[in-house]
Amino acid sequence: MPLHLNKPALRVLGIAESFERPCALSADPVSTTLSPPMSSWSMLAGVVMRADRRVDGLAYARASVGGDDATQAVLEICRRLDRRDINALFLSGAAISWFNIIDLVAVFEEVSRPLICLTYEESEGLEKYLREYFPEPEEKIERYRTLGGREKIRLKTGYDLFVRVHGVTVEEARILLNKFTLDGRVPEPVRLARMAARAARKVEEELASGSE
């Protein structure tokens, strides 16, 4: 589906996760921790937002920490929403939940919408960490390599972002991101999706532990 940047009812789906990394080693496309995290899963949230900043959709899915199901989790959110009026996807990171790498091409081909994957810092990459933390890292390394390189863009806010794009040019991605970014470098659909994912994760943890 072509991207009409001046469409009055332009909508994007922002997807982010609950997983937090207290000690960053790398910011491309995920910050990592010095040791494997204790939790076994991360919550993903998808927020549908119009260009006027109105939210009109929300869905959740889970991805295993350190696993290989992130692609299916992203697609599960898209299927649960089942929205034909979404014009583009913003993904916050291509490797989530502690090295759970998303197949961006597979997501793009299934949803048939322009896809913009965001990262926020310079980095030397993840391969050395994949080799360090996984006894048989070859499949993850190959999946990581297929992500390809990132393009640096500067937003109207003065902040830089790094993007991987499918179905859209880098310049079109910059224009679209500017429409949904109020300040800083995180567009509003992604910011709200991150908040929703962390809130939902906290509630589930409290329910599981019997807390009120």
Side-chain angles (χ1 to χ4, degrees), residues 81-169:
L81 287 166
D82 192 23
R83 296 284 296 269
R84 300 192 179 194
D85 57 350
I86 292 172
N87 302 105
L89 272 66
F90 293 166
L91 295 182
S92 186
I96 64 173
S97 304
W98 210 70
F99 306 110
N100 197 330
I101 300 170
I102 300 170
D103 185 334
L104 299 180
V105 173
V107 172
F108 170 66
E109 290 179 347
E110 175 154 335
V111 301
S112 299
R113 299 290 190 279
L115 185 155
I116 304 169
C117 182
L118 314 173
T119 54
Y120 308 101
E121 304 290 344
E122 295 277 6
S123 169
E124 296 180 356
L126 294 181
E127 285 195 31
K128 64 179 180 179
Y129 303 120
L130 294 174
R131 295 185 188 281
E132 179 178 354
Y133 291 122
F134 295 91
E136 297 180 356
E138 289 76 17
E139 186 175 344
K140 283 186 179 291
I141 289 173
E142 180 59 28
R143 193 176 297 122
Y144 175 63
R145 288 175 177 172
T146 62
L147 293 174
R150 305 179 300 162
E151 297 286 342
K152 183 178 180 179
I153 62 174
R154 174 153 292 188
L155 299 176
K156 65 182 181 182
T157 60
Y159 287 84
D160 293 331
L161 271 181
F162 299 86
V163 299
R164 294 180 173 95
V165 298
H166 294 271
V168 66
T169 67

Side-chain angles (χ1 to χ4, degrees), residues 165-186:
V165 298
H166 294 271
V168 66
T169 67
V170 173
E171 177 58 19
E172 288 172 330
R174 185 188 65 80
I175 294 171
L176 185 59
L177 288 165
N178 276 331
K179 287 179 177 290
F180 286 90
T181 306
L182 297 180
D183 49 45
R185 57 169 58 89
V186 182

